[in-house]
Short mmCIF file of all heavy atoms in Angstrom, two decimals:
data_model
loop_
_atom_site.label_atom_id
_atom_site.label_comp_id
_atom_site.label_asym_id
_atom_site.label_seq_id
_atom_site.Cartn_x
_atom_site.Cartn_y
_atom_site.Cartn_z
N LYS A 113 5.74 3.54 10.42
CA LYS A 113 7.17 3.61 10.08
C LYS A 113 7.48 4.95 9.43
O LYS A 113 8.54 5.54 9.66
CB LYS A 113 7.54 2.49 9.11
CG LYS A 113 7.51 1.09 9.71
CD LYS A 113 8.10 0.12 8.68
CE LYS A 113 8.16 -1.30 9.21
NZ LYS A 113 6.88 -2.01 9.11
N GLY A 114 6.54 5.44 8.60
CA GLY A 114 6.72 6.75 7.95
C GLY A 114 6.77 7.85 9.00
O GLY A 114 7.58 8.77 8.92
N PHE A 115 5.91 7.74 10.01
CA PHE A 115 5.88 8.73 11.09
C PHE A 115 7.21 8.72 11.86
O PHE A 115 7.80 9.76 12.14
CB PHE A 115 4.70 8.45 12.02
CG PHE A 115 4.71 9.27 13.27
CD1 PHE A 115 4.61 10.65 13.21
CD2 PHE A 115 4.82 8.68 14.52
CE1 PHE A 115 4.63 11.42 14.36
CE2 PHE A 115 4.83 9.43 15.68
CZ PHE A 115 4.74 10.81 15.60
N LEU A 116 7.69 7.51 12.18
CA LEU A 116 8.96 7.39 12.91
C LEU A 116 10.11 8.02 12.12
O LEU A 116 10.96 8.71 12.69
CB LEU A 116 9.30 5.92 13.15
CG LEU A 116 8.72 5.24 14.38
CD1 LEU A 116 9.41 3.90 14.59
CD2 LEU A 116 8.89 6.10 15.62
N ARG A 117 10.11 7.76 10.80
CA ARG A 117 11.21 8.31 9.99
C ARG A 117 11.14 9.84 9.96
O ARG A 117 12.16 10.52 10.02
CB ARG A 117 11.14 7.73 8.57
CG ARG A 117 12.34 8.10 7.76
CD ARG A 117 12.51 7.28 6.52
NE ARG A 117 13.35 8.02 5.59
CZ ARG A 117 13.47 7.76 4.31
NH1 ARG A 117 12.83 6.72 3.79
NH2 ARG A 117 14.24 8.48 3.54
N SER A 118 9.91 10.37 9.92
CA SER A 118 9.73 11.82 9.94
C SER A 118 10.23 12.39 11.28
O SER A 118 10.92 13.42 11.31
CB SER A 118 8.25 12.14 9.72
OG SER A 118 8.04 13.51 9.61
N LEU A 119 9.90 11.69 12.38
CA LEU A 119 10.36 12.13 13.72
C LEU A 119 11.90 12.15 13.76
O LEU A 119 12.50 13.12 14.23
CB LEU A 119 9.89 11.15 14.77
CG LEU A 119 8.69 11.47 15.65
CD1 LEU A 119 8.53 10.41 16.73
CD2 LEU A 119 8.76 12.85 16.28
N ARG A 120 12.48 11.06 13.27
CA ARG A 120 13.95 10.93 13.36
C ARG A 120 14.65 11.89 12.39
O ARG A 120 15.56 12.61 12.78
CB ARG A 120 14.36 9.49 13.04
CG ARG A 120 14.00 8.52 14.15
CD ARG A 120 14.72 7.17 13.95
NE ARG A 120 14.54 6.33 15.11
CZ ARG A 120 13.86 5.18 15.10
NH1 ARG A 120 13.30 4.73 13.99
NH2 ARG A 120 13.74 4.47 16.21
N ASP A 121 14.22 11.89 11.12
CA ASP A 121 14.96 12.64 10.09
C ASP A 121 14.63 14.12 10.10
O ASP A 121 15.50 14.95 9.87
CB ASP A 121 14.65 12.08 8.69
CG ASP A 121 15.27 10.70 8.50
OD1 ASP A 121 15.79 10.15 9.48
OD2 ASP A 121 15.23 10.17 7.37
N ASP A 122 13.37 14.48 10.34
CA ASP A 122 12.98 15.89 10.23
C ASP A 122 13.04 16.62 11.57
O ASP A 122 13.32 17.81 11.62
CB ASP A 122 11.57 16.02 9.63
CG ASP A 122 11.50 15.44 8.23
OD1 ASP A 122 12.55 15.38 7.57
OD2 ASP A 122 10.41 15.04 7.80
N ALA A 123 12.73 15.90 12.68
CA ALA A 123 12.78 16.57 14.00
C ALA A 123 14.01 16.17 14.79
O ALA A 123 14.24 16.69 15.87
CB ALA A 123 11.52 16.25 14.79
N GLY A 124 14.80 15.20 14.26
CA GLY A 124 16.01 14.76 14.95
C GLY A 124 15.72 14.14 16.30
O GLY A 124 16.52 14.24 17.23
N LEU A 125 14.55 13.50 16.44
CA LEU A 125 14.15 12.97 17.75
C LEU A 125 14.15 11.45 17.76
O LEU A 125 13.55 10.81 16.90
CB LEU A 125 12.73 13.49 18.08
CG LEU A 125 12.24 13.11 19.47
CD1 LEU A 125 11.78 14.34 20.23
CD2 LEU A 125 11.09 12.11 19.38
N ASP A 126 14.87 10.88 18.74
CA ASP A 126 14.87 9.43 18.94
C ASP A 126 13.73 9.12 19.92
O ASP A 126 13.73 9.62 21.05
CB ASP A 126 16.22 9.01 19.52
CG ASP A 126 16.29 7.53 19.83
OD1 ASP A 126 15.27 6.83 19.67
OD2 ASP A 126 17.37 7.07 20.27
N PRO A 127 12.75 8.27 19.51
CA PRO A 127 11.59 8.04 20.38
C PRO A 127 11.88 7.27 21.66
O PRO A 127 11.08 7.27 22.59
CB PRO A 127 10.63 7.23 19.48
CG PRO A 127 11.48 6.68 18.39
CD PRO A 127 12.66 7.58 18.23
N SER A 128 13.07 6.66 21.74
CA SER A 128 13.40 5.85 22.90
C SER A 128 13.34 6.70 24.19
O SER A 128 13.95 7.76 24.27
CB SER A 128 14.80 5.27 22.69
OG SER A 128 15.18 4.56 23.82
N GLY A 129 12.58 6.20 25.18
CA GLY A 129 12.49 6.87 26.48
C GLY A 129 11.58 8.10 26.50
O GLY A 129 11.54 8.81 27.49
N LYS A 130 10.87 8.36 25.41
CA LYS A 130 10.05 9.58 25.33
C LYS A 130 8.61 9.34 25.83
O LYS A 130 8.08 8.24 25.73
CB LYS A 130 10.00 10.09 23.89
CG LYS A 130 11.36 10.48 23.34
CD LYS A 130 11.97 11.65 24.10
CE LYS A 130 13.27 12.15 23.51
NZ LYS A 130 14.38 11.21 23.60
N ARG A 131 8.02 10.45 26.36
CA ARG A 131 6.61 10.42 26.81
C ARG A 131 5.75 11.05 25.72
O ARG A 131 5.97 12.20 25.33
CB ARG A 131 6.47 11.17 28.12
CG ARG A 131 7.18 10.48 29.30
CD ARG A 131 7.25 11.40 30.49
NE ARG A 131 8.10 12.54 30.18
CZ ARG A 131 9.39 12.65 30.53
NH1 ARG A 131 9.97 11.70 31.23
NH2 ARG A 131 10.09 13.71 30.20
N VAL A 132 4.78 10.27 25.24
CA VAL A 132 4.01 10.68 24.06
C VAL A 132 2.52 10.78 24.38
O VAL A 132 1.99 9.95 25.12
CB VAL A 132 4.21 9.66 22.90
CG1 VAL A 132 3.56 10.15 21.62
CG2 VAL A 132 5.69 9.38 22.68
N VAL A 133 1.86 11.81 23.85
CA VAL A 133 0.41 11.95 23.99
C VAL A 133 -0.22 11.88 22.60
O VAL A 133 0.21 12.59 21.68
CB VAL A 133 0.04 13.29 24.67
CG1 VAL A 133 -1.48 13.50 24.63
CG2 VAL A 133 0.54 13.31 26.10
N PHE A 134 -1.21 11.00 22.44
CA PHE A 134 -1.95 10.89 21.19
C PHE A 134 -3.34 11.46 21.33
O PHE A 134 -4.07 11.10 22.26
CB PHE A 134 -2.09 9.41 20.77
CG PHE A 134 -0.96 8.94 19.92
CD1 PHE A 134 0.14 8.34 20.50
CD2 PHE A 134 -0.99 9.10 18.55
CE1 PHE A 134 1.21 7.93 19.72
CE2 PHE A 134 0.07 8.69 17.76
CZ PHE A 134 1.17 8.10 18.35
N LEU A 135 -3.74 12.33 20.40
CA LEU A 135 -5.14 12.72 20.27
C LEU A 135 -5.69 11.82 19.16
O LEU A 135 -5.23 11.90 18.02
CB LEU A 135 -5.25 14.19 19.86
CG LEU A 135 -4.51 15.18 20.76
CD1 LEU A 135 -4.57 16.59 20.16
CD2 LEU A 135 -5.10 15.17 22.17
N GLY A 136 -6.65 10.93 19.51
CA GLY A 136 -7.19 10.00 18.51
C GLY A 136 -6.71 8.59 18.74
O GLY A 136 -5.63 8.38 19.33
N ALA A 137 -7.55 7.63 18.31
CA ALA A 137 -7.21 6.21 18.49
C ALA A 137 -7.70 5.39 17.30
O ALA A 137 -8.00 4.22 17.43
CB ALA A 137 -7.84 5.70 19.79
N GLY A 138 -7.78 6.04 16.13
CA GLY A 138 -8.21 5.34 14.91
C GLY A 138 -7.05 4.59 14.27
O GLY A 138 -6.03 4.32 14.91
N GLY A 139 -7.20 4.26 12.98
CA GLY A 139 -6.20 3.46 12.28
C GLY A 139 -4.82 4.10 12.28
O GLY A 139 -3.81 3.43 12.54
N ALA A 140 -4.75 5.41 12.01
CA ALA A 140 -3.45 6.09 11.96
C ALA A 140 -2.80 6.08 13.34
O ALA A 140 -1.61 5.77 13.48
CB ALA A 140 -3.63 7.52 11.46
N ALA A 141 -3.59 6.39 14.38
CA ALA A 141 -3.05 6.41 15.75
C ALA A 141 -2.52 5.03 16.14
O ALA A 141 -1.45 4.93 16.76
CB ALA A 141 -4.13 6.87 16.73
N ARG A 142 -3.26 3.97 15.79
CA ARG A 142 -2.82 2.60 16.14
C ARG A 142 -1.46 2.31 15.53
O ARG A 142 -0.55 1.81 16.20
CB ARG A 142 -3.83 1.56 15.64
CG ARG A 142 -5.05 1.43 16.51
CD ARG A 142 -6.07 0.51 15.84
NE ARG A 142 -5.82 -0.90 16.06
CZ ARG A 142 -6.25 -1.59 17.11
NH1 ARG A 142 -6.94 -0.99 18.05
NH2 ARG A 142 -6.00 -2.88 17.22
N ALA A 143 -1.32 2.62 14.23
CA ALA A 143 -0.06 2.33 13.53
C ALA A 143 1.10 3.12 14.16
O ALA A 143 2.17 2.57 14.42
CB ALA A 143 -0.20 2.67 12.05
#
Side-chain angles (χ1 to χ4, degrees):
K113 291 189 178 81
F115 171 62
L116 274 193
R117 188 165 158 196
S118 185
L119 259 187
R120 288 194 171 114
D121 290 8
D122 298 336
L125 185 127
D126 177 357
S128 176
K130 298 296 185 294
R131 293 168 294 262
V132 186
V133 172
F134 270 92
L135 306 174
R142 281 173 83 87

